[in-house]
Amino acid sequence: MRPIIGITTYVENATWGVWRDLPTTLIPHDYVAAVTLAGGRPVLIPQEDDTDVLRALDGLVLAGGPDLGPEMYGQEPGPHTVVRPERDTAELRLVRAALEMDMPVLGICRGMQLLTVAAGGTLHQHLPDLLGHEKHRPAPGVYGEHDARFEPGSRIATLMGDDLAIRCFHHQGVADPGTLTVTGRAEDGLPEAVEDPGRRFVLGVQWHPEVVRDRRLFGALATAARN
């Protein structure tokens, strides 16, 4: 049987058909397609405080989305920070419960940042202030393209092989990884991958592998969830 992979979701106002601007639980279809192609059975997780859903899952994808609330890592919000407090609360509780169960977890973009905060780490709230450029989010709806470098022997290095190209869209990034290990960086030194070598499968990537249906990363999650 295919492993059941939960995917966290957004709650945003959306418009379709005759319906206009309704609060909607949604996720880009790229995530669903990527999990399916990798051999998993995707299940969307609505934004709620209950973590009992984890008992029905074999693995978890922490999807991208808005900025994390800086109060989660001891900072005040900056002028460029846009948050969804209800999602922060629900997902932090969810990821902590999943980690306690040693459930395989793949964090994507915001999901990597959430893993970092759950591990006691901190974030940079606005990368252009730190790096002096906007290559990680060049324009609305436009992915930044980078060549990453990966730590030899790490899980991400093994999965990516000689393919160093990544596509990202974020203006925040990891400052302190907490108890996680940084295993990938962009050419400007910004962390692009984190792992927890002490767990069965905990991997966070700052880029968007779902967009290209990357079977290496989603396949590794599905394999870990199956075992």
Side-chain angles (χ1 to χ4, degrees), residues 116-187:
T116 297
V117 171
T122 61
L123 306 179
H124 298 296
Q125 288 192 50
H126 192 56
L127 293 175
D129 293 343
L130 173 73
L131 302 174
H133 65 74
E134 299 196 28
K135 294 180 181 179
H136 294 275
R137 190 180 67 172
V142 176
Y143 289 100
E145 297 187 2
H146 303 268
D147 281 343
R149 62 178 187 273
F150 304 115
E151 289 296 321
S154 64
R155 184 187 297 274
I156 193 62
T158 300
L159 291 173
M160 296 295 287
D162 295 331
D163 182 5
L164 306 180
I166 60 175
R167 300 176 67 194
C168 60
F169 186 80
H170 60 102
H171 80 111
Q172 298 196 330
V174 170
D176 175 358
T179 59
L180 299 176
T181 301
V182 175
T183 55
R185 294 183 184 271
E187 63 269 18

Side-chain angles (χ1 to χ4, degrees), residues 14-22 24:
T15 296
W16 72 97
V18 298
W19 309 108
R20 296 290 182 268
D21 206 30
L22 292 180
T24 306

Side-chain angles (χ1 to χ4, degrees), residues 20 91 97 109 121 160 175 193 205 212 216:
R20 296 290 182 268
E91 289 190 358
C109 196
M160 296 295 287
V205 295
V212 294
R216 295 167 299 183

